[in-house]
Amino acid sequence: MTKNENTDNIWNRGEIDSPCIKICVIHPESRLCTGCLRSIDEIGTWSQLTPEVRRAVMNDLPNRTKLITKRRGGRAARLKNQADAQRD
């Protein structure tokens, strides 16, 4: 196997795949991963969950998107807040 060869197929198994998209950031309020929308507990126990529980989680993921859509504003919001604070 060469270094450039994709190795994701090593983890393929005959079960419900993980929804992981390799963007692992936990949203501070919802406590959901912003990449796959699973909870920390679901991520940690995924390999031990039954196919039925995994299927239920997968079916619920589209309902979770609205739980993490609120953005805090990033750099633009920080600059605005700093400018507002300096005016006061």
Side-chain angles (χ1 to χ4, degrees):
M1 196 176 329
T2 66
K3 281 187 176 183
N4 294 334
E5 197 172 331
N6 186 343
T7 58
D8 285 348
N9 62 345
I10 292 171
W11 300 106
N12 283 342
R13 299 190 298 205
E15 55 194 37
I16 296 172
D17 289 332
S18 165
C20 181
I21 59 171
K22 300 177 184 173
I23 300 175
C24 305
V25 177
I26 302 300
H27 187 271
E29 293 171 12
S30 68
R31 306 293 292 153
L32 297 175
C33 174
T34 60
C36 68
L37 301 174
R38 292 179 294 168
S39 70
I40 294 172
D41 290 338
E42 290 165 343
I43 293 167
T45 61
W46 188 257
S47 65
Q48 299 153 7
L49 297 177
T50 65
E52 293 78 21
V53 173
R54 286 185 188 188
R55 196 170 296 109
V57 170
M58 295 291 283
N59 289 338
D60 190 45
L61 295 180
N63 300 325
R64 299 177 184 187
T65 56
K66 62 184 171 272
L67 298 175
I68 61 168
T69 56
K70 181 182 176 187
R71 296 192 52 179
R72 295 184 292 176
R75 182 174 184 268
R78 281 194 306 276
L79 292 174
K80 181 184 178 305
N81 290 340
Q82 287 173 355
D84 289 348
Q86 288 176 354
R87 276 186 248 141
D88 292 341

